[in-house]
Amino acid sequence: RSIFNHSLVRPKKEALKEFFLYVNFHRNEFEQLKRQIKLIIKEIESYPELVENDETIKKEEYEESEENTLITYIGQMKDGIKEGKGMLITKNRSTGDVLETYIGEFKNDKKNGLGILKKGNRQIEGSFIDNKLNGKIGLYVDNELNIIEYKNDILHGRKIVFRKGGDIVTSSFDNGHPTKKFSIYLKNSKEFFTGKKKENGNYEGIDYRGNEGTVFVGTFNSNFNLIGEGYWYQNYNGIFCNFDNGEILPSLCYQINKYGFVYFGFCNKDGLLHGKDCIILNYSNDSEKGDLFIGTYKDGKKIGFGEYYWGDGDYMKKIYPVGWGVRYLNIDNTYLEGIMHDCGFPNGSGLLTYDGDKYSGKFFLSEEKCIFISDGRKSFNMTITDTPRFNEAVAVQFKTEVHN
């Protein structure tokens, strides 16, 4: 049971909450930065009109022949260099096309402070130190926002991508190198994956699929389908086995369901037990000892000879699904022999051993009682007080009443 109580499997709500707290924190920080930049831009956009009337606002143009560019600066200057706030426009000298526009703060003739840099379909909003990106910046590509942390023009820290459709991707970098850890949230399917990318291109982590209500844990291929050993988990039902492109492979598996049944054995492609020596532990009655079944399964159903042991000392050996078997009742040291049904009691002709005496006769089975009437007309009433569930023989409480 401990496998499916794994901290990575169950707390979907907590994981998503932590993810959105992380995303919203950095988005709010960027929005504050953006408001500061907006005030600066609002002031600078009026500079072209002030060139003739304000001595603090200058305009200069110069060429960079090696780059074939024409650069125009409109803004504040000191001692002949850019100092303060301004606008720097770089054009192709031959075609006149605008290659780059920077609107923001300058110091020592370089981009220093807050500003916006526009290049083609890319727009960067953030802070600069000596012409290099530093700190938290916002990158817009085709109206898609990326919040990224830079250090000396190199990706260093967090990166959050807000896609147009509402999807969100987070990752991190160390001195320009991706750390391989990332998370992705898909809005429409409510799918959330968190993990890391492996050297071979596969992924390792946890995949929560909100619309399906399922959780997958393990190694994933590029399509985010499980491969190799992994967990599948849904509504407190789970299986640990081998997968290929998201499909269950016939293999040794471990399963648990929300009622407390634990399964060990080989499974088929549908995840159903299939093979010999399958083991089931039943914790549905909250017993520390639990109940135990050992036998053969075919496509999820018991078949052939099997043994069932109750935590209270009862046991049953029978042919499944419905066949001849023996049930031992520990409380009254009683043996029942006959055609055994799923509830663990016989129906029809059979034998009953009670207090050392063996009787032949007939069993009459209902949902609440199993009555045995011997050939000598002696009656044994056994009351079933726990209704059988999910076609599994469950632990039952009973009272044996003997009538002569």
Side-chain angles (χ1 to χ4, degrees):
R1 286 188 289 180
S2 61
I3 289 180
F4 292 96
N5 286 328
H6 197 287
S7 60
L8 295 178
V9 177
R10 301 190 67 176
K12 175 185 175 184
K13 290 183 179 178
E14 288 81 354
L16 279 172
K17 183 179 179 181
E18 183 179 332
F19 173 77
F20 280 108
L21 282 173
Y22 166 85
V23 167
N24 290 330
F25 172 79
H26 290 286
R27 187 165 197 167
N28 290 337
E29 270 198 343
F30 173 69
E31 290 298 329
Q32 292 177 18
L33 180 68
K34 191 174 179 180
R35 284 192 287 270
Q36 296 177 49
I37 295 173
K38 193 173 182 180
L39 293 174
I40 295 171
I41 301 308
K42 188 176 180 180
E43 179 184 336
I44 295 173
E45 285 177 341
S46 66
Y47 283 2
E49 301 173 4
L50 300 176
V51 171
E52 301 296 332
N53 304 318
D54 191 334
E55 294 183 356
T56 64
I57 308 300
K58 307 291 184 181
K59 179 178 180 181
E60 67 168 8
E61 291 186 342
Y62 53 92
E63 295 182 358
E64 290 186 347
S65 56
E66 291 183 5
E67 302 293 334
N68 192 33
T69 56
L70 175 66
I71 297 175
T72 302
Y73 174 74
I74 303 173
Q76 298 171 329
M77 299 183 72
K78 183 179 179 182
D79 299 330
I81 62 173
K82 305 175 193 71
E83 188 79 19
K85 300 167 187 172
M87 180 188 306
L88 191 67
I89 303 169
T90 304
K91 295 182 179 180
N92 183 295
R93 188 159 51 91
S94 302
T95 64
D97 294 335
V98 176
L99 303 176
E100 180 179 296
T101 301
Y102 173 77
I103 306 174
E105 297 177 312
F106 290 84
K107 187 176 181 180
N108 296 327
D109 214 34
K110 295 179 181 179
K111 302 181 191 78
N112 272 289
L114 301 178
I116 292 180
L117 181 66
K118 297 179 182 179
K119 251 178 139 175
N121 66 340
R122 297 162 63 91
Q123 177 174 305
I124 296 173
E125 300 181 12
S127 58
F128 297 78
I129 297 177
D130 292 340
N131 288 335
K132 295 179 180 180
L133 289 168
N134 272 279
K136 189 176 269 96
I137 67 102
L139 168 64
Y140 292 88
V141 181
D142 296 328
N143 295 319
E144 195 171 87
L145 172 62
N146 298 249
I147 297 177
I148 312 170
E149 292 181 327
Y150 273 86
K151 184 178 179 181
N152 294 327
D153 239 17
I154 297 173
L155 274 167
H156 186 75
R158 304 170 182 87
K159 178 179 179 181
I160 305 173
V161 181
F162 297 88
R163 293 177 175 167
K164 292 178 184 177
D167 299 345
I168 303 172
V169 181
T170 70
S171 56
S172 60
F173 290 78
D174 183 9
N175 202 30
H177 301 289
T179 63
K180 298 177 183 175
K181 292 182 180 180
F182 74 100
S183 299
I184 181 169
Y185 174 75
L186 304 180
K187 182 180 179 181
N188 291 337
S189 63
K190 294 182 174 61
E191 183 174 353
F192 173 54
F193 177 88
T194 181
K196 64 180 181 179
K197 190 170 184 179
K198 302 176 72 175
E199 294 291 341
N200 59 7
N202 292 328
Y203 302 92
E204 188 176 86
I206 312 143
D207 190 13
Y208 301 92
R209 301 187 182 179
N211 286 350
E212 301 173 7
T214 56
V215 180
F216 298 89
V217 182
T219 301
F220 300 79
N221 60 19
S222 57
N223 295 319
F224 288 95
N225 290 322
L226 271 177
I227 54 175
E229 288 187 345
Y231 305 89
W232 169 92
Y233 190 79
Q234 183 179 41
N235 297 328
Y236 300 99
N237 300 301
I239 181 171
F240 172 76
C241 62
N242 282 290
F243 292 82
D244 181 29
N245 198 30
E247 300 291 332
I248 293 174
L249 287 176
S251 59
L252 190 64
C253 72
Y254 170 101
Q255 301 182 42
I256 190 170
N257 67 22
K258 60 184 177 182
Y259 302 108
F261 285 91
V262 183
Y263 303 81
F264 301 90
F266 280 87
C267 65
N268 62 15
K269 61 182 180 61
D270 298 314
L272 301 174
L273 287 180
H274 188 86
K276 297 179 179 180
D277 300 324
C278 295
I279 299 173
I280 301 177
L281 295 175
N282 171 17
Y283 290 96
S284 61
N285 57 357
D286 295 323
S287 167
E288 290 186 3
K289 294 180 180 178
D291 306 327
L292 170 68
F293 170 81
I294 304 173
T296 301
Y297 267 78
K298 183 178 181 181
D299 296 329
K301 296 180 180 179
K302 297 187 188 80
I303 187 170
F305 179 74
E307 303 173 60
Y308 201 106
Y309 297 89
W310 280 265
D312 59 9
D314 286 12
Y315 67 82
M316 176 176 64
K317 299 180 181 181
K318 61 166 282 190
I319 303 297
Y320 287 87
V322 177
W324 187 267
V326 176
R327 168 77 186 268
Y328 170 69
L329 307 180
N330 180 51
I331 292 178
D332 294 309
N333 197 28
T334 302
Y335 291 87
L336 314 176
E337 297 180 57
I339 303 298
M340 291 289 173
H341 289 256
D342 288 329
C343 65
F345 285 88
N347 193 29
S349 298
L351 301 172
L352 183 145
T353 302
Y354 178 77
D355 198 22
D357 296 324
K358 181 175 284 191
Y359 303 89
S360 63
K362 198 166 187 178
F363 292 94
F364 298 88
L365 182 62
S366 68
E367 289 186 2
E368 297 180 352
K369 284 189 175 184
C370 179
I371 300 173
F372 178 80
I373 300 177
S374 70
D375 295 339
R377 309 307 295 171
K378 195 169 187 177
S379 176
F380 297 79
N381 290 350
M382 289 157 281
T383 302
I384 305 173
T385 58
D386 188 10
T387 305
R389 292 173 292 182
F390 2 97
N391 292 322
E392 300 287 357
V394 299
V396 294
Q397 301 293 326
F398 56 85
K399 296 179 180 178
T400 305
E401 303 170 2
V402 182
H403 302 276
N404 293 314

